Amino acid sequence: TNDVPIPSANNKTLNEIFDEGNLVVNGDFSDGTTGWVAFNSSHSVVDGNLINVGTGASDTPLSFKDVTSTLNDKWYYNSRLTILNNNATSIKVVFNNATGGNLTINTPVISQPYEFSGVVTHVNGTFIRTNFQHLYADANTSIGNQLEIDYLLATNLTSLGIDNLTQAEMDALYER
């Protein structure tokens, strides 16, 4: 169950790691778009998912979320993205103020969910910014095209005393 201590995770339980340890406020969009920023785009919540829509302001519409962090803290991120059009050349998850974890999917398949996870280390400033981007040939092509973000989870491994765990080990715990 989720309440059983896991020896490899410093005897933390799954609840402690993924529920109490998830420091993203509104990562499930239960409070609409509160705390999320649309850049070169607009966004809204539909059926519990954040939908980012290109407006033609750029070839790279995006939504982002900042999470407060202490320098050198190690974080585990997990999310799921779905492109809702045939025009995107790629989708990306990009971290600002952190090293590691960036992901690019070239020529994404429409309506196919892409699971994302990564481990990043905070190296600058007071927060880590997670950017969810969908890229197009030009700004005009982005108009009306959508990227769906199902959720964002971010667990501070350092604060939980489990920063020795790898991405693969965290993925295995998340899948339990």
Side-chain angles (χ1 to χ4, degrees), residues 18-19 22 36 39 54 56 62 85 89 96 98 101 110 119-120 123-124 134 145-146 149 157-158:
F18 295 116
D19 293 335
N22 180 14
W36 287 83
F39 187 73
L62 64 97
N85 67 84
T89 58
N96 296 118
I110 188 171
V119 173
V120 303
V123 295
N124 188 41
H134 44 132
N145 284 309
Q146 302 177 347
I149 305 163
L157 303 176
T158 303

Side-chain angles (χ1 to χ4, degrees), residues 32-44:
T33 61
T34 300
W36 287 83
V37 177
F39 187 73
N40 296 323
S41 61
S42 64
H43 62 207
S44 61

Side-chain angles (χ1 to χ4, degrees), residues 59-125:
D59 64 350
T60 308
L62 64 97
S63 289
F64 69 81
K65 178 71 173 170
D66 294 340
V67 177
T68 302
S69 179
T70 301
L71 286 176
N72 299 314
D73 278 4
K74 189 173 166 184
W75 290 77
Y76 172 75
Y77 281 82
N78 190 293
S79 187
R80 182 176 35 241
L81 312 174
T82 306
I83 195 70
L84 301 178
N85 67 84
N86 286 321
N87 297 316
T89 58
S90 63
I91 55 177
K92 292 184 178 187
V93 179
V94 177
F95 293 95
N96 296 118
N97 300 329
T99 58
N102 293 343
L103 169 78
T104 299
I105 303 291
N106 291 313
T107 319
V109 176
I110 188 171
S111 300
Q112 176 179 322
Y114 291 94
E115 301 287 336
F116 159 76
S117 66
V119 173
V120 303
T121 301
H122 180 201
V123 295
N124 188 41

Side-chain angles (χ1 to χ4, degrees), residues 2 16 20 36 44-45 47 57 59 61 64 97 113 118 125 136 143 150 159 162 171 175:
N2 292 343
E16 289 173 313
E20 299 161 27
W36 287 83
S44 61
V45 174
D47 296 329
D59 64 350
F64 69 81
N97 300 329
Y136 299 89
I143 296 172
D150 294 352
S159 69
I162 57 173
D171 287 344
E175 303 270 325

